[in-house]
Amino acid sequence: MERLETRELAYFVVVAEEQHVGRAAERLGMAQPPLSRAISKLERRVGVPLLERAGRGVRLTAAGKVLMHEARKVLDAAAAAGHRTRRAAKPDLGWCSR
């Protein structure tokens, strides 16, 4: 399996939260067809269905529930890494002479 991208995971999380691809696309500020293609590509990459397409919405499969949980952890870790990196770049003013 190829490595998953944070962008793919972020898209998936929004679709899972909204339970609707159209609303998710709107929330992400993108058109629905590219989002649908991105989710389908993600499903092909992981090799299992993540969503059940049901009428006018979607539901998570068992695998989708696992990925949702794991994706949130990955996205939180990536955000924390960025925060810690920016914090490390700031000078420590506690030891400056006055």
Side-chain angles (χ1 to χ4, degrees):
M1 181 176 74
E2 299 176 41
R3 290 182 186 215
L4 303 179
E5 299 176 13
T6 55
R7 177 184 47 82
E8 293 176 308
L9 297 176
Y11 288 175
F12 174 73
V13 167
V14 174
V15 170
E17 288 173 350
E18 292 293 333
Q19 296 181 6
H20 192 275
V21 178
R23 286 193 302 267
E26 186 175 315
R27 186 169 142 194
L28 289 164
M30 63 189 299
Q32 182 177 342
L35 179 57
S36 293
R37 284 191 299 272
I39 297 301
S40 293
K41 181 180 175 183
L42 177 61
E43 289 178 314
R44 284 191 306 275
R45 288 176 64 166
V46 297
V48 296
L50 302 170
L51 301 171
E52 293 175 0
R53 278 77 176 171
R56 299 186 52 81
V58 296
R59 288 190 303 263
L60 292 173
T61 63
K65 289 176 185 177
V66 170
L67 185 60
M68 174 71 156
H69 177 74
E70 297 298 326
R72 283 182 169 153
K73 290 193 299 188
V74 168
L75 294 171
D76 288 347
H83 176 73
R84 286 190 300 272
T85 301
R86 285 186 298 278
R87 191 175 63 217
K90 293 181 182 176
D92 182 4
L93 302 177
W95 56 270
C96 289
S97 59
R98 295 171 202 205

Short mmCIF file of all heavy atoms in Angstrom, two decimals, residues 37-78:
data_model
loop_
_atom_site.label_atom_id
_atom_site.label_comp_id
_atom_site.label_asym_id
_atom_site.label_seq_id
_atom_site.Cartn_x
_atom_site.Cartn_y
_atom_site.Cartn_z
N ARG A 37 -13.81 11.94 -6.49
CA ARG A 37 -12.69 11.21 -7.09
C ARG A 37 -11.58 10.98 -6.07
O ARG A 37 -10.98 9.90 -6.03
CB ARG A 37 -12.14 11.97 -8.31
CG ARG A 37 -13.03 11.84 -9.54
CD ARG A 37 -12.36 12.36 -10.79
NE ARG A 37 -12.01 13.77 -10.74
CZ ARG A 37 -12.82 14.76 -11.09
NH1 ARG A 37 -14.04 14.50 -11.53
NH2 ARG A 37 -12.42 16.02 -11.02
N ALA A 38 -11.31 11.97 -5.24
CA ALA A 38 -10.26 11.82 -4.23
C ALA A 38 -10.61 10.72 -3.22
O ALA A 38 -9.75 9.93 -2.84
CB ALA A 38 -10.04 13.15 -3.50
N ILE A 39 -11.86 10.65 -2.82
CA ILE A 39 -12.29 9.61 -1.88
C ILE A 39 -12.23 8.24 -2.53
O ILE A 39 -11.77 7.27 -1.93
CB ILE A 39 -13.70 9.92 -1.33
CG1 ILE A 39 -13.70 11.23 -0.53
CG2 ILE A 39 -14.22 8.75 -0.48
CD1 ILE A 39 -12.77 11.28 0.67
N SER A 40 -12.66 8.15 -3.78
CA SER A 40 -12.58 6.88 -4.51
C SER A 40 -11.13 6.43 -4.66
O SER A 40 -10.80 5.25 -4.50
CB SER A 40 -13.22 7.00 -5.89
OG SER A 40 -14.61 7.20 -5.75
N LYS A 41 -10.25 7.38 -4.95
CA LYS A 41 -8.81 7.06 -5.06
C LYS A 41 -8.27 6.57 -3.72
O LYS A 41 -7.50 5.60 -3.68
CB LYS A 41 -8.04 8.29 -5.52
CG LYS A 41 -6.57 8.06 -5.69
CD LYS A 41 -5.87 9.33 -6.15
CE LYS A 41 -4.37 9.14 -6.20
NZ LYS A 41 -3.66 10.37 -6.56
N LEU A 42 -8.68 7.20 -2.63
CA LEU A 42 -8.25 6.77 -1.30
C LEU A 42 -8.72 5.35 -1.03
O LEU A 42 -7.95 4.52 -0.52
CB LEU A 42 -8.79 7.74 -0.24
CG LEU A 42 -8.50 7.39 1.22
CD1 LEU A 42 -7.00 7.35 1.49
CD2 LEU A 42 -9.18 8.39 2.13
N GLU A 43 -9.95 5.05 -1.39
CA GLU A 43 -10.47 3.69 -1.20
C GLU A 43 -9.66 2.68 -2.00
O GLU A 43 -9.36 1.58 -1.50
CB GLU A 43 -11.96 3.62 -1.57
CG GLU A 43 -12.85 4.32 -0.57
CD GLU A 43 -14.30 4.31 -0.96
OE1 GLU A 43 -14.63 4.60 -2.14
OE2 GLU A 43 -15.13 4.00 -0.08
N ARG A 44 -9.31 3.04 -3.23
CA ARG A 44 -8.48 2.13 -4.03
C ARG A 44 -7.11 1.95 -3.40
O ARG A 44 -6.57 0.84 -3.38
CB ARG A 44 -8.34 2.66 -5.47
CG ARG A 44 -9.58 2.45 -6.31
CD ARG A 44 -9.32 2.74 -7.79
NE ARG A 44 -8.74 4.06 -8.05
CZ ARG A 44 -9.46 5.18 -8.19
NH1 ARG A 44 -10.77 5.15 -8.07
NH2 ARG A 44 -8.85 6.32 -8.45
N ARG A 45 -6.54 3.01 -2.87
CA ARG A 45 -5.20 2.93 -2.27
C ARG A 45 -5.19 2.06 -1.03
O ARG A 45 -4.24 1.32 -0.81
CB ARG A 45 -4.69 4.33 -1.95
CG ARG A 45 -4.31 5.08 -3.22
CD ARG A 45 -3.89 6.47 -2.95
NE ARG A 45 -2.68 6.46 -2.14
CZ ARG A 45 -1.92 7.51 -1.97
NH1 ARG A 45 -2.22 8.64 -2.52
NH2 ARG A 45 -0.84 7.44 -1.23
N VAL A 46 -6.22 2.16 -0.20
CA VAL A 46 -6.24 1.33 1.01
C VAL A 46 -6.79 -0.06 0.70
O VAL A 46 -6.59 -0.98 1.49
CB VAL A 46 -7.00 1.97 2.19
CG1 VAL A 46 -6.33 3.26 2.62
CG2 VAL A 46 -8.45 2.20 1.87
N GLY A 47 -7.47 -0.20 -0.41
CA GLY A 47 -7.93 -1.52 -0.85
C GLY A 47 -9.22 -2.01 -0.25
O GLY A 47 -9.56 -3.19 -0.38
N VAL A 48 -9.97 -1.12 0.40
CA VAL A 48 -11.26 -1.49 0.99
C VAL A 48 -12.23 -0.33 0.88
O VAL A 48 -11.82 0.83 0.84
CB VAL A 48 -11.12 -1.89 2.49
CG1 VAL A 48 -10.27 -3.13 2.65
CG2 VAL A 48 -10.57 -0.74 3.32
N PRO A 49 -13.53 -0.62 0.83
CA PRO A 49 -14.52 0.46 0.85
C PRO A 49 -14.50 1.16 2.22
O PRO A 49 -14.43 0.50 3.25
CB PRO A 49 -15.85 -0.24 0.62
CG PRO A 49 -15.54 -1.63 0.19
CD PRO A 49 -14.16 -1.94 0.67
N LEU A 50 -14.54 2.47 2.19
CA LEU A 50 -14.56 3.27 3.42
C LEU A 50 -15.93 3.85 3.69
O LEU A 50 -16.25 4.16 4.83
CB LEU A 50 -13.53 4.39 3.33
CG LEU A 50 -12.09 3.95 3.09
CD1 LEU A 50 -11.21 5.14 2.77
CD2 LEU A 50 -11.58 3.19 4.31
N LEU A 51 -16.70 4.01 2.63
CA LEU A 51 -18.03 4.62 2.72
C LEU A 51 -19.06 3.74 2.04
O LEU A 51 -18.77 3.12 1.02
CB LEU A 51 -18.04 5.99 2.04
CG LEU A 51 -17.06 7.04 2.55
CD1 LEU A 51 -17.06 8.24 1.61
CD2 LEU A 51 -17.41 7.45 3.96
N GLU A 52 -20.25 3.72 2.61
CA GLU A 52 -21.40 3.13 1.95
C GLU A 52 -22.19 4.30 1.39
O GLU A 52 -22.58 5.20 2.14
CB GLU A 52 -22.27 2.37 2.95
CG GLU A 52 -21.63 1.14 3.51
CD GLU A 52 -22.50 0.48 4.58
OE1 GLU A 52 -23.60 0.98 4.87
OE2 GLU A 52 -22.04 -0.53 5.13
N ARG A 53 -22.37 4.30 0.08
CA ARG A 53 -23.16 5.36 -0.55
C ARG A 53 -24.62 4.98 -0.36
O ARG A 53 -25.05 3.94 -0.83
CB ARG A 53 -22.82 5.48 -2.03
CG ARG A 53 -21.56 6.29 -2.31
CD ARG A 53 -20.32 5.53 -2.05
NE ARG A 53 -19.12 6.30 -2.42
CZ ARG A 53 -17.91 5.90 -2.13
NH1 ARG A 53 -17.70 4.79 -1.46
NH2 ARG A 53 -16.88 6.65 -2.47
N ALA A 54 -25.34 5.81 0.37
CA ALA A 54 -26.72 5.48 0.73
C ALA A 54 -27.63 6.64 0.37
O ALA A 54 -27.64 7.66 1.05
CB ALA A 54 -26.81 5.18 2.22
N GLY A 55 -28.37 6.48 -0.71
CA GLY A 55 -29.34 7.52 -1.09
C GLY A 55 -28.67 8.86 -1.27
O GLY A 55 -27.83 9.04 -2.14
N ARG A 56 -29.00 9.79 -0.40
CA ARG A 56 -28.48 11.14 -0.52
C ARG A 56 -27.32 11.41 0.42
O ARG A 56 -26.95 12.57 0.63
CB ARG A 56 -29.61 12.13 -0.28
CG ARG A 56 -30.73 11.97 -1.30
CD ARG A 56 -31.81 13.01 -1.22
NE ARG A 56 -31.38 14.38 -1.24
CZ ARG A 56 -31.06 15.09 -2.31
NH1 ARG A 56 -31.06 14.51 -3.49
NH2 ARG A 56 -30.73 16.35 -2.21
N GLY A 57 -26.72 10.38 0.99
CA GLY A 57 -25.61 10.59 1.89
C GLY A 57 -24.66 9.41 1.88
O GLY A 57 -24.75 8.54 1.02
N VAL A 58 -23.77 9.41 2.83
CA VAL A 58 -22.82 8.30 2.97
C VAL A 58 -22.75 7.90 4.44
O VAL A 58 -23.03 8.70 5.34
CB VAL A 58 -21.40 8.67 2.46
CG1 VAL A 58 -21.41 8.96 0.98
CG2 VAL A 58 -20.81 9.83 3.24
N ARG A 59 -22.38 6.63 4.65
CA ARG A 59 -22.14 6.11 6.00
C ARG A 59 -20.78 5.44 6.00
O ARG A 59 -20.36 4.88 4.98
CB ARG A 59 -23.21 5.10 6.40
CG ARG A 59 -24.57 5.69 6.69
CD ARG A 59 -25.50 4.65 7.30
NE ARG A 59 -25.66 3.48 6.45
CZ ARG A 59 -26.66 3.29 5.61
NH1 ARG A 59 -27.60 4.20 5.50
NH2 ARG A 59 -26.73 2.20 4.88
N LEU A 60 -20.12 5.47 7.12
CA LEU A 60 -18.82 4.81 7.24
C LEU A 60 -18.99 3.31 7.31
O LEU A 60 -19.87 2.81 8.01
CB LEU A 60 -18.09 5.29 8.49
CG LEU A 60 -17.62 6.73 8.51
CD1 LEU A 60 -17.06 7.09 9.88
CD2 LEU A 60 -16.58 6.97 7.45
N THR A 61 -18.11 2.60 6.62
CA THR A 61 -18.02 1.15 6.80
C THR A 61 -17.21 0.91 8.07
O THR A 61 -16.68 1.86 8.68
CB THR A 61 -17.29 0.51 5.61
OG1 THR A 61 -15.95 1.01 5.57
CG2 THR A 61 -18.00 0.78 4.28
N ALA A 62 -17.07 -0.34 8.46
CA ALA A 62 -16.23 -0.66 9.62
C ALA A 62 -14.80 -0.17 9.38
O ALA A 62 -14.17 0.42 10.26
CB ALA A 62 -16.26 -2.15 9.91
N ALA A 63 -14.30 -0.39 8.17
CA ALA A 63 -12.95 0.09 7.83
C ALA A 63 -12.89 1.61 7.85
O ALA A 63 -11.90 2.21 8.29
CB ALA A 63 -12.54 -0.44 6.46
N GLY A 64 -13.96 2.25 7.39
CA GLY A 64 -14.02 3.71 7.41
C GLY A 64 -13.98 4.26 8.82
O GLY A 64 -13.35 5.30 9.07
N LYS A 65 -14.62 3.58 9.76
CA LYS A 65 -14.59 4.02 11.16
C LYS A 65 -13.18 3.95 11.71
O LYS A 65 -12.73 4.84 12.44
CB LYS A 65 -15.54 3.18 12.00
CG LYS A 65 -17.00 3.48 11.71
CD LYS A 65 -17.92 2.57 12.50
CE LYS A 65 -19.37 2.82 12.09
NZ LYS A 65 -20.30 1.92 12.76
N VAL A 66 -12.46 2.89 11.35
CA VAL A 66 -11.07 2.76 11.79
C VAL A 66 -10.23 3.88 11.19
O VAL A 66 -9.45 4.54 11.90
CB VAL A 66 -10.49 1.37 11.42
CG1 VAL A 66 -8.99 1.32 11.65
CG2 VAL A 66 -11.19 0.28 12.21
N LEU A 67 -10.38 4.11 9.87
CA LEU A 67 -9.58 5.17 9.24
C LEU A 67 -9.94 6.53 9.81
O LEU A 67 -9.05 7.37 10.00
CB LEU A 67 -9.76 5.15 7.72
CG LEU A 67 -8.85 6.16 7.00
CD1 LEU A 67 -7.38 5.89 7.27
CD2 LEU A 67 -9.14 6.17 5.52
N MET A 68 -11.20 6.78 10.11
CA MET A 68 -11.60 8.05 10.69
C MET A 68 -10.85 8.29 12.00
O MET A 68 -10.29 9.37 12.22
CB MET A 68 -13.12 8.04 10.93
CG MET A 68 -13.63 9.25 11.65
SD MET A 68 -13.56 10.70 10.60
CE MET A 68 -14.80 11.68 11.38
N HIS A 69 -10.82 7.29 12.85
CA HIS A 69 -10.12 7.40 14.14
C HIS A 69 -8.63 7.65 13.92
O HIS A 69 -8.04 8.55 14.53
CB HIS A 69 -10.36 6.12 14.94
CG HIS A 69 -9.66 6.07 16.24
ND1 HIS A 69 -10.06 6.81 17.33
CD2 HIS A 69 -8.56 5.39 16.62
CE1 HIS A 69 -9.23 6.58 18.33
NE2 HIS A 69 -8.32 5.72 17.93
N GLU A 70 -8.03 6.87 13.04
CA GLU A 70 -6.59 7.00 12.78
C GLU A 70 -6.27 8.31 12.08
O GLU A 70 -5.25 8.94 12.37
CB GLU A 70 -6.09 5.81 11.96
CG GLU A 70 -6.23 4.48 12.67
CD GLU A 70 -5.42 4.39 13.95
OE1 GLU A 70 -4.32 4.98 14.03
OE2 GLU A 70 -5.90 3.72 14.89
N ALA A 71 -7.11 8.73 11.14
CA ALA A 71 -6.87 9.97 10.40
C ALA A 71 -6.89 11.17 11.34
O ALA A 71 -6.06 12.07 11.20
CB ALA A 71 -7.92 10.13 9.30
N ARG A 72 -7.80 11.18 12.27
CA ARG A 72 -7.84 12.30 13.23
C ARG A 72 -6.55 12.36 14.03
O ARG A 72 -6.02 13.45 14.29
CB ARG A 72 -9.05 12.17 14.15
CG ARG A 72 -10.33 12.58 13.49
CD ARG A 72 -11.49 12.49 14.44
NE ARG A 72 -12.66 13.13 13.87
CZ ARG A 72 -13.90 12.81 14.18
NH1 ARG A 72 -14.13 11.84 15.05
NH2 ARG A 72 -14.91 13.44 13.63
N LYS A 73 -6.03 11.20 14.45
CA LYS A 73 -4.76 11.19 15.19
C LYS A 73 -3.61 11.71 14.33
O LYS A 73 -2.79 12.50 14.80
CB LYS A 73 -4.44 9.78 15.69
CG LYS A 73 -5.37 9.30 16.79
CD LYS A 73 -4.88 8.06 17.51
CE LYS A 73 -4.73 6.86 16.64
NZ LYS A 73 -4.43 5.62 17.38
N VAL A 74 -3.58 11.29 13.07
CA VAL A 74 -2.52 11.74 12.17
C VAL A 74 -2.61 13.25 11.95
O VAL A 74 -1.60 13.95 12.01
CB VAL A 74 -2.60 11.00 10.82
CG1 VAL A 74 -1.72 11.65 9.76
CG2 VAL A 74 -2.23 9.54 11.00
N LEU A 75 -3.80 13.75 11.68
CA LEU A 75 -3.98 15.18 11.43
C LEU A 75 -3.66 16.01 12.67
O LEU A 75 -3.04 17.07 12.57
CB LEU A 75 -5.39 15.46 10.92
CG LEU A 75 -5.71 14.85 9.55
CD1 LEU A 75 -7.18 14.99 9.23
CD2 LEU A 75 -4.83 15.45 8.47
N ASP A 76 -4.04 15.52 13.85
CA ASP A 76 -3.70 16.21 15.09
C ASP A 76 -2.18 16.22 15.29
O ASP A 76 -1.61 17.24 15.69
CB ASP A 76 -4.37 15.54 16.30
CG ASP A 76 -5.87 15.80 16.36
OD1 ASP A 76 -6.37 16.68 15.63
OD2 ASP A 76 -6.55 15.09 17.14
N ALA A 77 -1.52 15.11 15.01
CA ALA A 77 -0.07 15.02 15.16
C ALA A 77 0.64 15.97 14.19
O ALA A 77 1.61 16.63 14.55
CB ALA A 77 0.41 13.59 14.96
N ALA A 78 0.14 16.05 12.95
CA ALA A 78 0.74 16.95 11.96
C ALA A 78 0.58 18.41 12.39
O ALA A 78 1.51 19.21 12.27
CB ALA A 78 0.12 16.72 10.58
#
